[in-house]
Amino acid sequence: YLENTLQPRIKRVFGNNRYQTAIKASQNLRNPCDLAFVASGESIIDALTVSYASAIFKIPVFLTSKTSIDMETVDEMKRLGVKQAVIIGGANVVSQNVVNQLNNNGINVNRIYGKDRYDTAVQIIEDIEKSGKIDTNKIFLCSGESSADALSISSVSAKEEGIILLTNGNKLTDGVKKYIKSETEVKIIGGVAVISDNLKQEIEAEGAKVERIFGNDRFETSLNIYNKYYKSIGVKTVYLANGITMVDALTGAGLAYKDKTGLLLTNANKMLPSIKWVINGMSNLKILGGRDVVQNNIWK
């Protein structure tokens, strides 16, 4: 490809670790805010689909270890004026001790969780459906076995006011099936390695309108999502996150939506040439995470 001569202005949203990067993302999202999401910083799989809820409502996602939440995180909640924390996942991922810590700091807590990650995704939808801000006939179906594609599509889902549902790639749970009806628009995110063609045909047999958005890997899938939803509207800012560790993409998806743009994924030290081309045509590049997760200048 031709070397693009532009170089974007770079801004990093980062802290010393994923917990502090989530705090930095919150500081860039909004002030004040009386509600916040809290997810596990050790296992993001339950919280995969909260990123688009965070985007729609401009509600920060904070991270916690299973057993205790950092005081710096609690201090940021207090600074925002958070009165209610919604923990994503059961006590096996975020313990009662975290609830007690938040309660002791004047923050009420409730949980959204299901019997597994697929059910948790449905519970999140049921919770936000009451707001009237989502259209359950626009479905983005992602793998629940791998986090990448759900995080790549988060800001798009908020933009399109759709919902994200998860599958193991071969079948749908009963909770997910109830959303797939005749005339439903289903965008399958990812290739046949993550969501099978048999499942696509099964969904089409229900009368749904199905389209697959995918690349050769998670990085190219994120690029093809950008190409479909953002390229034509001429965005000049794009977000970049590590597509292997993923956790910064979870807490930063709301920022991408706020800036009316998407999220591209990369390895820490190597980037697809086609993604370099996109980034070098931007006015602004916003990187989620420090240099250990996305190295300097890998887009050059």
Side-chain angles (χ1 to χ4, degrees):
Y1 64 99
L2 293 169
E3 189 62 53
N4 200 326
T5 53
L6 292 174
Q7 284 297 327
R9 285 192 297 274
I10 314 298
K11 179 185 178 186
R12 277 189 190 269
V13 178
F14 76 106
N16 292 333
N17 55 41
R18 57 189 57 187
Y19 305 99
Q20 290 185 359
T21 294
I23 292 169
K24 291 291 182 191
S26 163
Q27 289 167 353
N28 282 271
L29 189 63
R30 67 177 275 189
N31 297 291
C33 186
D34 56 7
L35 184 65
F37 291 114
V38 176
S40 168
E42 295 163 344
S43 166
I44 65 168
I45 207 86
D46 267 344
L48 262 190
T49 58
V50 81
S51 52
Y52 81 100
S54 155
I56 290 168
F57 299 108
K58 293 190 175 67
I59 295 170
V61 181
F62 294 105
L63 300 177
T64 180
S65 72
K66 179 179 177 178
T67 53
S68 72
I69 190 164
D70 286 353
M71 272 316 293
E72 287 166 272
T73 301
V74 175
D75 289 344
E76 171 64 6
M77 287 186 181
K78 287 179 173 176
R79 185 190 72 79
L80 287 171
V82 170
K83 295 181 175 60
Q84 180 85 32
V86 180
I87 291 176
I88 308 300
N92 57 326
V93 286
V94 179
S95 72
Q96 181 61 34
N97 191 52
V98 173
V99 175
N100 297 343
Q101 278 181 278
L102 291 168
N103 287 163
N104 292 340
N105 282 280
I107 298 169
N108 293 320
V109 178
N110 68 329
R111 287 186 193 267
I112 298 178
Y113 68 102
K115 61 181 185 292
D116 55 29
R117 64 194 65 173
Y118 307 102
D119 193 32
T120 298
V122 170
Q123 298 294 332
I124 289 169
I125 290 162
E126 288 177 355
D127 216 61
I128 61 177
E129 207 174 343
K130 302 163 198 158
S131 71
K133 288 199 176 188
I134 56 169
D135 180 355
T136 56
N137 288 313
K138 286 185 181 177
I139 295 169
F140 296 91
L141 185 65
C142 302
S143 167
E145 304 299 303
S146 158
S147 319
D149 297 334
L151 294 174
S152 289
I153 203 71
S154 288
S155 65
V156 171
S157 180
K159 170 180 175 283
E160 298 289 306
E161 297 177 340
I163 60 174
I164 296 178
L165 289 167
L166 302 178
T167 172
N168 67 0
N170 296 307
K171 60 178 199 248
L172 303 176
T173 64
D174 290 342
V176 171
K177 272 183 190 167
K178 71 182 181 192
Y179 287 99
I180 293 178
K181 308 182 280 283
S182 177
E183 299 305 300
T184 304
E185 277 181 37
V186 180
K187 300 283 192 286
I188 292 176
I189 311 302
V192 292
V194 288
I195 297 179
S196 74
D197 222 35
N198 283 346
L199 185 56
K200 179 175 181 277
Q201 289 166 17
E202 193 182 305
I203 294 166
E204 285 168 337
E206 293 296 323
K209 292 180 277 191
V210 186
E211 178 186 353
R212 191 188 284 274
I213 305 169
F214 70 104
N216 288 321
D217 56 25
R218 61 186 60 188
F219 310 112
E220 195 173 275
T221 295
S222 76
L223 174 66
N224 289 338
I225 290 167
Y226 160 82
N227 285 337
K228 181 174 176 65
Y229 289 100
Y230 296 105
K231 187 179 181 181
S232 63
I233 58 175
V235 298
K236 284 296 166 197
T237 297
V238 74
Y239 278 76
L240 184 64
N242 186 304
I244 305 298
T245 57
M246 306 301 300
V247 70
D248 297 327
L250 173 72
T251 53
L255 294 180
Y257 174 67
K258 181 187 173 191
D259 280 348
K260 299 182 170 59
T261 191
L263 186 70
L264 294 169
L265 299 179
T266 184
N267 266 312
N269 54 9
K270 190 173 173 223
M271 183 181 283
L272 290 179
S274 48
I275 289 182
K276 286 184 187 180
W277 178 248
V278 169
I279 286 174
N280 286 319
M282 290 289 153
S283 302
N284 301 291
L285 171 62
K286 300 197 177 178
I287 303 168
L288 299 167
R291 288 173 191 158
D292 53 338
V293 289
V294 178
Q295 283 186 2
N296 272 349
N297 298 325
I298 58 166
W299 50 90
K300 289 186 178 173

